[in-house]
């Protein structure tokens, strides 16, 4: 289909009128600046008038995009046709059991299972997963939780955490049936299949049993959706009597917990993106309460892992003390009683300008370190013997053949002779490896491939190409790009292009396989993933150069990536679309205002487009936690003025905006539906162009959209069909598509 042949669709679109929300001026004044918001009334979720308006938005969107339905259906069938629907995860061992999940064709949700493990005394054999076949039960297989049964008759289903006691008898699981990320916790006796009477409502992510199985730890959120309490429930006692282990009252700090790798401690992590605090609870001295590692007043960003090093209590710290890209040190607990400047910390992994240390953990024999170098995440292991001394061994890194890939530890058990590594690249479906930890007999360790996720429909990685390219930003900074295309696309300046970005919270857009993306590439769309500032791809400074008062670098980097694509020789510059979600949706709104002429279409998923209004209200979900990312516009006039200069809703102007789709959910607790609802009204009233601006709202979903896998595939097909149709790239390339 040529780019011009979408004219009939445009003619059809112009005859359908969008809903026009009434204007009720609401005055907002801060630091002497007045903003009049005509659409703030749309925030009232309980109002029948608001709900009717949102339904009218959906009706308009459905009418405008009705001609895309065959393309959406084709893309859905391509996703479905490439996915092995009856499948399973690689079993992972915990204590005496192998745990795994099954997915079954025609069913939306996975089924959690387990089977007993063997203990023969041969460590590698005992840690070799059983051969489980899709659709075939194993002798002795137990079903822990069937999501399809749990979800019956419910509008939404998601599991927010699960845990099993060390003895394997009790299974705790937390379920959300509305999409608002508040979970109900239940406990099943796996010997009988009966549910215990203990039911805990309104908990957040994260569940763990004490090693003796008598207590269950969980997190609770406050009214603004911030996890602020860790509680302990003693099994068999009233929930009303649950003990608050710790409460965090600073609204700008986030609270979480985990068990230490050796399960001797409960580890509480309190922090923001700039500094943190860890508190420890020893299970063998429970009544002694919490002990502090490094107080937050020292403004160190760190994680602490308590463990025994040659029988001696030790702490492994991953920290940014005198190390912008972080490093790894050892410290003895008695050192923590001294002033910070006098403490003796022993270096395990030193600081490097080129290497970002993301985290470190321990097994009974090794330290496992996650690092990022040249944008790529890697795994390194170091023996515990000699750790932190002159005799420390050299790091060993599992090696992979591809240039652009992602490898990360997806699980390790303290006693295991192996660590589980997840691996993927843009065109290598996800693989699961066990890496046998190095020994004297096996000094480089050994990678054992346990599974590569099957891709059906005649998929061949050789049909696609991924390259690393670089755009040059306005200030001369080189911005890494991942450029993905079908191998048959010619560099003749006629193809369509899509630029995708995020660029916030030090989140990296790492290489990863996506079945749905193939439906775009098979239609000749050249896709650029822009690794822009505000992300974490090039270390901590890459993040710091795209937050607070340097946030606009995120937007100008994205526009530079677009300019690179326009001048690359691959695409027709008039056939470029942009896509991003959440904070990447704020990015979409910003670039639509700054350079509307560069894009034929923009898809903004759950877009954070009214950021200033949200962050000025500390009562709104997660607002206070955002100050460290964007600045605090409540107290800081400079932060207010800077945000005011880019926040998308307040900077809509008279311009010929491209086709825009804002995709959102009514129950999203992170980016409220009201932001895109207001934004599309402002865009329509200001746009001097004729392209339609639509809002698609999922009335049952949360921040990730609806919950079942088929529903999620349909949502992805909707987004991609909107892009492909807008770019006139609806036809498959010769020989491409399902085989």
């Amino acid at each position: 289909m040529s780019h011009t042949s979408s004219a009939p669709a445009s003619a059809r679109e112009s005859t359908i009128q969008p809903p026009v929300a009434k204007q009720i001026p609401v005055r907002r004044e801060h630091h002497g600046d007045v903003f009049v918001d005509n659409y703030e009334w749309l925030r009232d979720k309980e109002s029948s008038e608001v709900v009717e308006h949102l339904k009218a938005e959906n009706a308009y969107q459905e009418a405008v995009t009705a001609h895309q339905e065959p393309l959406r259906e084709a893309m859905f069938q391509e996703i479905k046709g490439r996915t092995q629907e009856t499948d399973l995860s690689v079993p992972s061992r915990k204590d005496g059991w192998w745990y795994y999940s099954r997915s079954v064709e025609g069913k939306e949700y996975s089924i959690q299972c387990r089977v007993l493990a063997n203990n023969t005394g041969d460590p590698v054999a005992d840690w070799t997963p059983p051969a489980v076949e899709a659709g075939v039960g194993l002798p002795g297989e137990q079903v822990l939780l069937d999501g399809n049964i749990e979800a019956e008759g419910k509008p939404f289903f998601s599991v927010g955490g699960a845990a099993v006691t060390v003895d394997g008898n009790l299974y705790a699981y937390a379920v959300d049936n509305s999409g608002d990320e508040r979970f109900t916790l239940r406990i099943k006796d796996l010997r009988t299949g009966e549910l215990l009477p203990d039911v805990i409502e309104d908990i957040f992510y994260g569940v763990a049993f004490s090693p003796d199985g008598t207590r269950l730890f969980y997190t609770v959120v406050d009214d603004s959706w911030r996890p602020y309490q860790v509680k302990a429930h003693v099994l068999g006692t009233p929930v009303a009597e649950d003990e608050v282990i710790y409460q965090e009252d600073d609204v700008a700090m986030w609270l979480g917990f985990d068990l230490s790798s050796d399960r001797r401690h409960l580890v509480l992590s309190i922090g923001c993106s700039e500094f943190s605090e860890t508190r420890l609870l020893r299970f063998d001295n429970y009544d002694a309460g919490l002990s502090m590692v490094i107080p937050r007043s020292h403004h160190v960003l760190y994680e602490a892992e308590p463990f025994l090093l040659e029988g001696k209590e030790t702490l492994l710290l991953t920290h940014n003390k005198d190390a912008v890209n972080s490093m790894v040190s050892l410290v003895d607990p008695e050192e923590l009683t001294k002033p910070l400047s006098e403490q003796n910390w022993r270096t395990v992994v030193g600081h490097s300008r080129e290497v970002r240390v993301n985290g470190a953990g321990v097994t009974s024999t090794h330290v496992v370190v996650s690092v990022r170098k040249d944008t790529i995440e890697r795994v390194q292991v170091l023996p515990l013997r000699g750790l932190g001394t002159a005799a420390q061994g050299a790091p060993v890194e599992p090696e992979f053949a591809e240039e652009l890939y992602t490898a990360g530890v997806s699980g390790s058990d303290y006693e295991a002779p192996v660590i589980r590594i997840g691996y993927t690249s843009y065109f290598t479906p996800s693989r699961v490896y066990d890496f046998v930890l190095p020994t004297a007999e096996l000094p480089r360790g050994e990678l054992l491939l346990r599974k590569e996720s099957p891709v059906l429909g005649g998929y061949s990685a050789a049909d696609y190409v991924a390259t690393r390219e670089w755009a040059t930003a306005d200030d001369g900074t080189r911005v890494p790009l991942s450029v993905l295309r079908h191998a048959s696309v010619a560099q003749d300046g006629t193809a369509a292009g899509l630029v995708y970005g995020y660029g916030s919270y030090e989140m990296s857009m790492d290489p990863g396989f996506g079945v749905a993306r193939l439906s775009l590439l098979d239609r000749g769309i050249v896709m650029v993933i822009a690794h822009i500032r505000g992300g974490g791809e090039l270390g901590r400074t890459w993040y710091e150069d795209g937050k607070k008062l340097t946030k606009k670098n995120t937007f100008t980097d994205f526009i530079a990536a677009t300019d690179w694509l326009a001048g690359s020789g691959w695409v027709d510059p008039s056939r470029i679309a942009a896509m991003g979600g959440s904070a990447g949706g704020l990015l979409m709104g910003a670039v639509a205002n700054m350079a509307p002429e560069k894009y034929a279409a923009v898809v903004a998923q759950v877009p954070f487009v009214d950021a200033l209004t949200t962050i000025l209200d500390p009562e709104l979900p997660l607002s206070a936690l955002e100050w460290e990312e964007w600045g605090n516009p409540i107290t800081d006039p400079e932060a207010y003025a800077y945000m005011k200069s880019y926040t998308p809703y307040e900077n809509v102007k008279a311009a010929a905006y491209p086709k825009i789709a804002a995709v959102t959910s009514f129950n999203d607790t992170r980016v409220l539906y009201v932001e895109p609802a207001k934004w599309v009204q402002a865009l329509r009233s200001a746009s001097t162009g004729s392209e339609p601006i639509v809002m698609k709202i999922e009335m049952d979903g949360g921040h990730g959209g609806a919950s079942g896998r088929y529903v999620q595939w349909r949502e992805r097909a909707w987004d991609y069909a909107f892009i492909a149709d807008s770019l006139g790239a609806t036809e498959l390339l010769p020989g491409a598509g399902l085989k």
Side-chain angles (χ1 to χ4, degrees):
M1 180 175 177
S2 74
H3 188 42
T4 52
S5 63
S6 60
S10 298
R12 192 167 52 248
E13 287 154 4
S14 65
T15 63
I16 307 158
Q17 292 307 305
V20 178
K22 66 184 180 188
Q23 298 192 6
I24 303 176
V26 173
R27 197 169 180 275
R28 188 191 79 202
E29 184 171 353
H30 282 271
H31 309 296
D33 174 74
V34 174
F35 173 64
V36 177
D37 190 339
N38 289 318
Y39 303 111
E40 178 62 16
W41 68 273
L42 290 169
R43 190 177 298 279
D44 184 1
K45 196 174 176 182
E46 306 301 318
S47 157
S48 59
E49 190 177 0
V50 169
V51 172
E52 287 310 309
H53 172 77
L54 297 175
K55 287 179 176 173
E57 284 283 13
N58 259 350
Y60 173 66
Q61 166 269 120
E62 286 165 7
V64 166
T65 66
H67 66 284
Q68 295 168 11
E69 178 54 37
L71 181 57
R72 293 198 284 259
E73 182 61 27
M75 288 183 164
F76 172 78
Q77 293 299 340
E78 287 162 20
I79 297 168
K80 194 168 181 289
R82 287 190 170 107
T83 304
Q84 182 163 310
E85 294 184 58
T86 298
D87 202 2
L88 41 86
S89 63
V90 179
S92 59
R93 182 167 175 165
K94 197 76 184 162
D95 301 312
W97 297 82
W98 289 101
Y99 292 88
Y100 50 99
S101 65
R102 293 185 179 275
S103 53
V104 178
E105 185 170 356
K107 296 195 172 179
E108 296 269 13
Y109 300 102
S110 61
I111 302 165
Q112 306 304 318
C113 307
R114 72 174 184 176
V115 67
L116 262 173
N118 293 321
N119 290 311
T120 65
D122 176 341
V124 175
D126 288 347
W127 288 85
T128 298
V132 188
E133 288 182 59
V136 181
L138 279 181
E141 181 172 284
Q142 284 186 0
V143 172
L144 307 178
L145 188 73
D146 184 334
N148 303 289
I149 292 171
E150 288 282 326
E152 268 176 31
K154 307 288 197 310
F156 185 91
F157 171 75
S158 169
V159 176
V164 184
T165 49
V166 174
D167 62 16
N169 291 338
L170 300 179
Y171 175 71
Y173 62 99
V175 168
D176 168 17
N177 286 128
S178 71
D180 67 359
E181 298 181 272
R182 289 182 188 246
F183 300 88
T184 299
L185 183 121
R186 295 183 173 83
I187 304 165
K188 184 192 273 191
D189 188 327
L190 294 174
R191 294 162 294 189
T192 64
E194 299 294 313
L195 289 174
L196 302 191
D198 310 61
V199 176
I200 309 174
E201 304 280 0
D202 284 341
I203 76 163
F204 197 55
Y205 295 97
V207 179
F209 281 105
S210 59
D212 65 5
T214 62
R215 283 185 180 84
L216 187 71
F217 300 99
Y218 62 94
T219 314
V220 180
V221 294
D222 64 13
D223 291 340
S224 69
W225 234 261
R226 177 184 66 94
Y228 83 116
Q229 285 182 337
V230 171
K231 298 178 91 170
H233 172 71
V234 177
L235 270 59
T237 66
V239 172
E241 296 174 9
D242 286 2
E243 174 193 7
V244 177
I245 299 285
Y246 179 76
Q247 177 169 314
E248 177 52 54
D249 292 321
D250 184 336
V251 296
M253 299 293 268
W254 189 277
L255 173 65
F257 72 88
D258 216 334
L259 299 190
S260 61
S261 293
D262 60 13
R263 295 196 288 214
R264 295 181 312 114
H265 291 80
L266 185 72
V267 181
L268 268 59
S269 305
I270 305 140
C272 61
S273 69
E274 298 180 343
F275 55 89
S276 58
E277 181 174 279
T278 300
R279 298 178 185 227
L280 305 175
L281 178 67
R282 282 185 65 144
F283 289 121
D284 64 1
N285 191 12
Y286 189 86
D287 293 334
L290 295 166
S291 65
M292 174 83 74
V293 180
I294 303 161
R296 68 190 73 181
S297 54
H298 289 303
H299 278 238
V300 178
L301 187 63
Y302 72 100
E303 293 174 352
E305 175 74 29
F307 73 112
L308 294 172
L309 181 60
E310 295 168 0
K312 188 174 185 302
E313 197 72 53
T314 309
L315 286 160
L316 184 75
L317 299 180
T318 306
H319 65 90
N320 71 347
K321 180 170 156 303
D322 307 321
V324 67
N325 272 336
S326 295
M327 58 187 287
V328 182
S329 304
L330 293 175
V331 64
D332 298 328
E334 55 269 24
E335 292 290 318
L336 301 176
T337 60
K338 304 174 186 174
L340 188 65
S341 60
E342 296 173 22
Q343 292 175 19
N344 175 31
W345 294 14
R346 310 190 296 284
T347 297
V348 174
V349 178
H351 178 253
S352 162
R353 281 265 162 211
E354 283 71 51
V355 180
R356 171 80 164 108
V357 177
N358 289 328
V362 294
T363 73
S364 59
T365 58
H366 287 76
V367 168
V368 183
V369 186
S370 164
V371 299
R372 183 181 295 279
K373 184 180 177 195
D374 301 328
T375 78
I376 300 299
E377 183 121 25
R378 304 155 191 270
V379 177
Q380 297 180 342
V381 296
L382 292 152
L384 291 188
R385 187 183 297 276
L387 197 70
T389 71
Q392 177 175 305
V396 173
E397 185 176 304
E399 292 178 8
F400 301 98
E402 294 178 279
E403 179 199 9
L404 303 179
Y405 67 88
T406 302
V409 178
S410 60
S412 62
D413 193 271
Y414 186 67
E415 298 295 345
V418 299
I419 55 172
R420 178 69 49 89
I421 291 178
Y423 177 91
T424 183
S425 76
Y426 289 118
F427 299 118
T428 302
S430 62
R431 289 178 178 168
V432 175
Y433 288 98
D434 278 337
F435 180 62
V436 181
L437 291 165
T439 58
E441 299 77 40
L442 202 66
R444 300 297 303 168
E446 185 183 9
L447 270 177
L448 303 173
L449 179 63
R450 299 303 192 194
K451 176 174 183 171
E452 179 171 308
S453 292
V455 182
L456 310 180
Y459 171 75
S460 169
D463 291 340
Y464 305 93
V465 180
T467 61
R468 167 54 43 84
E469 308 291 347
W470 298 82
T472 304
D474 291 350
D475 61 3
T477 301
R478 294 177 78 234
V479 179
L481 312 175
S482 296
V483 181
L484 317 181
R485 58 182 170 83
H486 195 281
S488 68
V489 173
Q491 197 169 1
D492 61 5
T494 65
L498 171 64
V499 189
Y500 177 84
Y502 185 77
S504 292
Y505 305 107
E506 205 182 352
M507 294 267 293
S508 297
M509 297 295 102
D510 287 326
F513 184 76
V515 159
R517 192 193 298 133
L518 302 176
S519 291
L520 290 178
L521 302 177
D522 283 353
R523 286 168 175 80
I525 295 173
V526 176
M527 186 167 180
V528 171
I529 297 167
H531 305 287
I532 50 188
R533 280 176 282 186
E537 286 89 345
L538 290 174
R540 182 73 180 184
T541 50
W542 195 249
Y543 165 52
E544 290 176 348
D545 286 348
K547 67 184 283 197
K548 290 189 173 175
L549 297 178
T550 55
K551 187 66 210 168
K552 287 181 188 174
N553 286 336
T554 305
F555 316 140
T556 51
D557 283 3
F558 188 90
I559 292 168
T562 305
D563 290 342
W564 178 90
L565 180 60
S568 67
W570 290 107
V571 306
D572 173 348
S574 70
R575 299 181 70 197
I576 296 176
M579 183 164 75
S582 200
L586 181 148
L587 168 68
M588 292 301 99
V591 300
N593 287 335
M594 292 165 75
E597 73 287 350
K598 293 183 191 285
Y599 303 98
V602 174
V603 173
Q605 301 154 315
V606 289
F608 189 38
V609 281
D610 190 19
L612 191 49
T613 304
T614 296
I615 295 172
L616 284 167
D617 184 351
E619 299 301 309
L620 285 175
L622 307 181
S623 284
L625 297 167
E626 300 289 354
W627 296 336
E628 70 210 49
E629 184 73 19
W630 316 95
N632 184 347
I634 299 173
T635 57
D636 182 348
E638 188 182 14
Y640 176 92
Y642 189 75
M643 285 193 73
K644 169 94 178 175
S645 72
Y646 70 72
T647 189
Y649 176 56
E650 292 175 51
N651 286 281
V652 169
K653 61 187 182 185
Y657 282 96
K659 278 196 177 89
I660 292 178
V663 181
T664 187
S665 293
F666 192 51
N667 291 324
D668 194 328
T669 53
R670 294 168 188 245
V671 179
L672 301 182
Y673 73 87
V674 67
E675 299 202 21
K678 290 162 66 168
W679 182 52
V680 297
Q681 289 296 317
L683 283 168
R684 287 193 201 121
S685 63
S687 182
T688 60
S690 57
E691 295 292 3
I693 291 160
V694 301
M695 182 168 88
K696 174 179 177 281
I697 180 162
E698 167 60 55
M699 295 305 280
D700 287 326
H703 190 65
S707 55
R709 59 175 174 166
Y710 297 111
V711 187
Q712 290 181 335
W713 295 349
R714 288 203 183 276
E715 289 187 345
R716 188 52 43 83
W718 192 97
D719 297 346
Y720 284 0
F722 185 90
I723 286 164
D725 176 69
S726 301
L727 298 178
T730 60
E731 302 297 328
L732 289 166
L733 296 170
L738 294 178
K739 308 287 192 296

